Amino acid sequence: MFSVTVRDHVMIAHSFKGEVFGPAQRLHGATYVVDVEFKRPALDADGIVVDIGRAGETLHRVLSDLNFRNLDEVPEFAGRNTTTEFLAQVVFNRLVAAIRGGELGPGAREVEQIRVTLHESHVASATFEGRAGVAS
Amino acid sequence: MFSVTVRDHVMIAHSFKGEVFGPAQRLHGATYVVDVEFKRPALDADGIVVDIGRAGETLHRVLSDLNFRNLDEVPEFAGRNTTTEFLAQVVFNRLVAAIRGGELGPGAREVEQIRVTLHESHVASATFEGRAGVAS
Amino acid sequence: MFSVTVRDHVMIAHSFKGEVFGPAQRLHGATYVVDVEFKRPALDADGIVVDIGRAGETLHRVLSDLNFRNLDEVPEFAGRNTTTEFLAQVVFNRLVAAIRGGELGPGAREVEQIRVTLHESHVASATFEGRAGVAS
Amino acid sequence: MFSVTVRDHVMIAHSFKGEVFGPAQRLHGATYVVDVEFKRPALDADGIVVDIGRAGETLHRVLSDLNFRNLDEVPEFAGRNTTTEFLAQVVFNRLVAAIRGGELGPGAREVEQIRVTLHESHVASATFEGRAGVAS
Amino acid sequence: MFSVTVRDHVMIAHSFKGEVFGPAQRLHGATYVVDVEFKRPALDADGIVVDIGRAGETLHRVLSDLNFRNLDEVPEFAGRNTTTEFLAQVVFNRLVAAIRGGELGPGAREVEQIRVTLHESHVASATFEGRAGVAS
Amino acid sequence: MFSVTVRDHVMIAHSFKGEVFGPAQRLHGATYVVDVEFKRPALDADGIVVDIGRAGETLHRVLSDLNFRNLDEVPEFAGRNTTTEFLAQVVFNRLVAAIRGGELGPGAREVEQIRVTLHESHVASATFEGRAGVAS
């Protein structure tokens, strides 16, 4: 299996509901350094998994929609805790939609699996990995 | 699949038996920077894999039992080479026991897989990954 | 010159005033991974710059006062932009006060210089360095 | 599953053919920081996955064959784009051959899976992972 | 003293003249991960050292002029070894010129010192640090 | 000012004397990832600070003398706590002696300042920086 990984970051504010979160129930924020790994079993005719330039631009566009926002005020997330693991899946879903929409080019439809990791500090991160399910 | 990863470290002394180890047969030591990834297929009602605070505290407690020790004198390891890969499994086993004992809370029983990586330098690390086997 | 450096982190929300900040004028947040370097010209009788355990605890205590907060609501920062470089100086000032108050032990009064770096992402950081001015 | 990972690096020049590469169609170069993970289900009698010293030496030998070269002039790569993902597979193939040739010792034949990652910058990397297929 | 640091990267080909360089006399290449630290004694009215967005854009523009090039063919470098330390000074000089030309805004003229580090691998880097000399 | 930095590592066992060290009074160990920065005001005729290959080999040789040892049994360190900051100075002294002895070549005598940092974990390090004092 081949893969290509690109990195970018996003800075947001939010708060959590639930005693398990302790002081993180207060409005606070985070920088998430985001790694996205695109996986496919064979390279295309150019010898690549995806156009790495386009992959980086698409990740940047997806993160820009969240960047410098208070996630508590984003209607789509109402009633949900925007935990690191939850946001990893949000980024995954938006990347799958971008591939479906052709934003990464026709070759990207061969991507089988995507792994999204959000590093919230030097000691903690969360990941969502799933099937891209575009070609099938 | 979702996961959460926490990091801590431990500093130990030990020696190895066997020609393959060369100068590492002498008493020496290591800092292991330890990453533990907890995996489960779905988030709980709070939107998390495990309580990341509790996960960090449990890892810290597990490593404290080894910290600042000469592993050559730990009865449990008698007759074994406490290699990086062996110690990765030791940490794994103690984390599974901690989940079974409820130390990470009831939700942690849904963790299916745990991946433990010990970084012994900037150029070498070892990993043990296995099924947590608690819920089943 | 000798020095010892310890690392911890803090997660906050805030917003900035001024056109130069663009979208960062909106309420957002950041994880700051914080490195503090304590410098002195000679080691003490134990062979150390400062008690590294106490240094880490003091940094943790200083950051805990800011952790999981919306800095826009902290009276001390009213009318100021809590930029990364500004916060580096805030951490510096509080560490100097801690040394003056004896929180790092009597030996820490020999620290001459402190350098505080806040990493706000994998591509940006800010630093404040100044004289501790305790022994003089 | 156990694994051991070693790191080294290689510095090469090359150019790519195809519009998708934009300015990378020009002769340029890269440092690849290379991580190789060797995986096997059980440790050997010494308590190791592979002799980590030999693993590092073998990786260094494999990379030396490419180091300080213009890959456009290497006959083996004629007509191919030596992309990061392609080179990850080249390193994989050469490591499998080294294990087959006994370069990592007889125990290394139990390695089932090898994962090769080439980091081309702080924001991009590529990986090839496959079965070593030596013992079977 | 306050400072702000930004990071970017550049990928080039080149060769060196001189026996000291051994196999690096052959045409090869490198990724340089570049850190630039801008230093000034006091913050401006907005609470910043420089506009970090503009600093990043200027660094990117300076590196783009070198990116995906064979430095052996750049007339400006004829007869010079484009070593990592030499290139650190090239980036420094171009950043000073950019500040003089107003590219980082009027506030950047207060920058007193600039430190440029090029990381050529996970085990080697080179730095040039000098006075910006713009305000004086 | 120009500089070049090289990285290597060393794994040792030791214990400390003094209540300030708490559990580190027990025999334990550490991996030190070691960065050495060589500084000089001008480049030589080849365009370098020092021969980076030789610098790496010299650092490796200096660390090999300590590697895989119990520092409590090294006569030279009798009666001293081999703290991270103390060992940074030991490495510094041995590198200055190596330059004096010509091990880094004649050009290395122009090195004015050397900075040695030992990272003992992902959250702690110690540094010694001093004048090389060879050319004067």
Side-chain angles (χ1 to χ4, degrees):
Chain A
M1 181 70 80
F2 291 92
S3 70
V4 159
T5 301
V6 293
R7 173 171 282 195
D8 205 327
H9 74 285
V10 62
M11 304 175 89
I12 57 86
H14 59 173
S15 63
F16 297 140
K17 289 206 170 10
E19 277 182 39
V20 70
F21 297 106
Q25 293 172 278
R26 300 196 296 246
L27 182 66
H28 64 286
T31 307
Y32 297 114
V33 175
V34 183
D35 286 320
V36 178
E37 185 179 7
F38 300 90
K39 305 183 184 181
R40 57 187 279 189
L43 299 181
D44 72 8
D46 289 313
I48 59 176
V49 167
V50 289
D51 178 347
I52 202 167
R54 269 185 159 181
E57 286 162 20
T58 299
L59 176 58
H60 193 72
R61 198 268 305 154
V62 163
L63 296 181
S64 292
D65 294 344
L66 301 169
N67 208 196
F68 298 120
R69 298 217 169 272
N70 177 356
L71 301 185
D72 293 355
E73 297 177 350
V74 175
E76 180 183 348
F77 303 144
R80 303 296 299 266
N81 280 321
T82 55
T83 60
T84 312
E85 41 272 65
F86 172 83
L87 291 171
Q89 193 181 30
V90 167
V91 172
F92 170 88
N93 288 338
R94 294 182 179 190
L95 288 168
V96 170
I99 291 176
R100 284 218 172 102
E103 190 174 338
L104 272 93
R109 291 168 196 277
E110 302 304 320
V111 170
E112 287 193 352
Q113 195 97 358
I114 299 177
R115 179 180 170 89
V116 178
T117 298
L118 274 63
H119 303 269
E120 67 175 60
S121 74
H122 64 305
V123 291
S125 64
T127 294
F128 180 77
E129 178 165 356
R131 295 188 62 78
V134 179
S136 59
Chain B
M1 182 69 81
F2 291 92
S3 70
V4 159
T5 301
V6 293
R7 172 172 283 196
D8 205 329
H9 74 287
V10 62
M11 303 176 90
I12 56 87
H14 59 174
S15 63
F16 298 141
K17 289 205 170 9
E19 279 181 38
V20 69
F21 297 105
Q25 292 172 278
R26 302 195 296 246
L27 182 66
H28 64 285
T31 307
Y32 297 115
V33 175
V34 184
D35 287 319
V36 178
E37 184 179 7
F38 300 92
K39 304 183 185 182
R40 58 186 280 190
L43 300 181
D44 72 7
D46 289 313
I48 60 176
V49 166
V50 289
D51 178 347
I52 202 168
R54 270 184 157 182
E57 286 161 21
T58 298
L59 175 58
H60 192 72
R61 199 268 307 154
V62 164
L63 297 180
S64 293
D65 294 344
L66 301 169
N67 208 197
F68 298 120
R69 298 217 168 269
N70 178 356
L71 301 185
D72 292 356
E73 297 176 350
V74 175
E76 179 183 348
F77 303 144
R80 305 294 300 267
N81 280 321
T82 54
T83 60
T84 313
E85 40 273 62
F86 173 83
L87 291 172
Q89 193 181 31
V90 168
V91 173
F92 171 88
N93 288 337
R94 294 183 180 188
L95 288 168
V96 170
I99 291 176
R100 283 218 173 103
E103 191 175 337
L104 272 92
R109 290 168 197 275
E110 302 304 320
V111 170
E112 286 192 354
Q113 195 97 357
I114 299 178
R115 180 180 171 89
V116 178
T117 298
L118 272 64
H119 304 268
E120 69 176 60
S121 74
H122 64 304
V123 291
S125 64
T127 295
F128 179 77
E129 178 165 357
R131 295 188 62 80
V134 180
S136 59
Chain C
M1 181 69 81
F2 290 93
S3 70
V4 159
T5 301
V6 292
R7 172 172 283 195
D8 206 329
H9 73 286
V10 62
M11 303 175 90
I12 56 86
H14 58 173
S15 63
F16 297 141
K17 289 206 169 9
E19 277 181 38
V20 69
F21 296 106
Q25 293 173 276
R26 301 197 295 246
L27 182 67
H28 64 286
T31 307
Y32 297 115
V33 175
V34 184
D35 286 320
V36 178
E37 185 180 6
F38 299 92
K39 303 183 184 182
R40 59 185 280 189
L43 299 181
D44 72 8
D46 289 314
I48 59 175
V49 166
V50 290
D51 178 346
I52 202 168
R54 268 184 159 183
E57 286 162 20
T58 299
L59 176 58
H60 193 71
R61 198 269 304 154
V62 163
L63 296 181
S64 292
D65 294 344
L66 300 170
N67 210 194
F68 298 120
R69 297 217 170 271
N70 177 357
L71 301 185
D72 293 355
E73 296 176 352
V74 175
E76 180 183 347
F77 302 144
R80 303 296 300 266
N81 280 321
T82 55
T83 60
T84 313
E85 40 272 67
F86 172 83
L87 291 172
Q89 193 180 32
V90 167
V91 172
F92 171 87
N93 288 337
R94 294 183 179 189
L95 288 169
V96 170
I99 290 176
R100 284 217 171 104
E103 189 174 339
L104 272 91
R109 290 169 197 275
E110 303 303 320
V111 170
E112 286 192 353
Q113 195 97 358
I114 299 177
R115 179 180 171 90
V116 178
T117 298
L118 273 63
H119 304 268
E120 68 176 60
S121 74
H122 65 303
V123 291
S125 64
T127 294
F128 180 77
E129 178 166 355
R131 295 188 62 78
V134 179
S136 59
Chain D
M1 181 69 81
F2 290 92
S3 71
V4 159
T5 301
V6 293
R7 172 171 284 196
D8 206 329
H9 74 287
V10 63
M11 303 175 89
I12 57 87
H14 59 175
S15 63
F16 297 140
K17 288 204 171 12
E19 277 181 40
V20 69
F21 296 106
Q25 292 172 279
R26 303 196 295 246
L27 182 67
H28 64 287
T31 306
Y32 297 114
V33 175
V34 183
D35 287 319
V36 177
E37 184 179 7
F38 300 91
K39 305 183 184 182
R40 59 186 280 189
L43 300 181
D44 73 8
D46 289 313
I48 59 176
V49 166
V50 290
D51 178 346
I52 202 168
R54 270 184 157 182
E57 287 162 21
T58 299
L59 175 58
H60 193 72
R61 199 268 305 153
V62 163
L63 296 181
S64 293
D65 295 344
L66 301 170
N67 208 195
F68 299 120
R69 297 216 170 271
N70 177 357
L71 301 185
D72 292 355
E73 297 175 351
V74 175
E76 180 183 347
F77 303 145
R80 303 295 301 266
N81 281 321
T82 55
T83 59
T84 313
E85 40 272 64
F86 172 83
L87 291 171
Q89 194 181 30
V90 167
V91 173
F92 170 88
N93 288 338
R94 294 183 179 189
L95 288 168
V96 170
I99 291 176
R100 283 216 171 105
E103 190 175 338
L104 272 90
R109 290 169 197 276
E110 303 304 321
V111 170
E112 287 192 353
Q113 195 97 356
I114 299 178
R115 179 180 172 90
V116 178
T117 298
L118 274 64
H119 304 268
E120 68 175 60
S121 74
H122 64 303
V123 291
S125 64
T127 294
F128 180 77
E129 179 166 356
R131 294 188 62 79
V134 180
S136 58
Chain E
M1 181 69 81
F2 290 92
S3 71
V4 158
T5 301
V6 293
R7 172 171 283 196
D8 205 329
H9 74 286
V10 62
M11 303 175 90
I12 56 88
H14 59 173
S15 63
F16 298 140
K17 289 207 171 6
E19 277 182 39
V20 70
F21 297 105
Q25 293 172 277
R26 302 195 296 247
L27 182 66
H28 64 286
T31 306
Y32 297 115
V33 174
V34 183
D35 287 319
V36 178
E37 184 180 6
F38 300 91
K39 304 183 184 182
R40 57 186 282 187
L43 300 181
D44 72 7
D46 289 314
I48 59 175
V49 166
V50 289
D51 178 346
I52 203 169
R54 270 183 157 183
E57 286 163 20
T58 298
L59 175 59
H60 193 72
R61 198 269 305 154
V62 164
L63 297 180
S64 292
D65 294 345
L66 301 169
N67 208 197
F68 298 120
R69 298 219 168 268
N70 177 358
L71 301 185
D72 293 355
E73 297 176 349
V74 175
E76 179 183 349
F77 303 145
R80 303 294 301 266
N81 280 321
T82 55
T83 60
T84 313
E85 40 273 64
F86 172 83
L87 291 172
Q89 194 182 28
V90 167
V91 173
F92 170 88
N93 288 338
R94 295 185 178 187
L95 288 169
V96 170
I99 291 177
R100 283 217 172 104
E103 190 174 337
L104 271 92
R109 290 168 197 276
E110 302 304 321
V111 170
E112 286 192 354
Q113 194 97 358
I114 299 178
R115 179 181 171 88
V116 178
T117 298
L118 273 63
H119 305 268
E120 69 176 59
S121 74
H122 64 304
V123 291
S125 63
T127 295
F128 179 77
E129 178 165 356
R131 294 188 63 77
V134 179
S136 61
Chain F
M1 182 68 83
F2 290 92
S3 70
V4 158
T5 300
V6 292
R7 172 171 284 195
D8 206 329
H9 75 285
V10 63
M11 303 175 89
I12 57 87
H14 60 173
S15 63
F16 298 140
K17 289 206 170 7
E19 276 181 40
V20 69
F21 296 106
Q25 293 172 278
R26 302 195 296 246
L27 182 66
H28 64 286
T31 306
Y32 297 115
V33 175
V34 183
D35 287 319
V36 178
E37 184 180 6
F38 300 91
K39 304 183 185 183
R40 59 185 280 188
L43 300 181
D44 72 8
D46 288 315
I48 59 176
V49 166
V50 290
D51 178 346
I52 203 168
R54 269 184 157 182
E57 285 162 21
T58 299
L59 175 59
H60 193 71
R61 198 268 305 153
V62 164
L63 297 181
S64 292
D65 295 344
L66 301 169
N67 208 195
F68 298 121
R69 297 219 170 270
N70 177 357
L71 301 184
D72 293 355
E73 296 176 351
V74 176
E76 179 183 349
F77 303 144
R80 303 295 301 265
N81 280 321
T82 55
T83 60
T84 313
E85 39 273 64
F86 173 82
L87 291 171
Q89 194 182 29
V90 168
V91 173
F92 170 88
N93 288 338
R94 294 183 179 189
L95 289 169
V96 170
I99 291 176
R100 283 215 172 104
E103 191 174 338
L104 271 90
R109 289 169 198 276
E110 303 302 321
V111 169
E112 287 192 354
Q113 194 98 357
I114 299 177
R115 179 181 171 89
V116 178
T117 298
L118 273 64
H119 304 270
E120 68 176 60
S121 74
H122 64 305
V123 291
S125 64
T127 295
F128 179 77
E129 178 165 356
R131 294 188 63 77
V134 179
S136 60

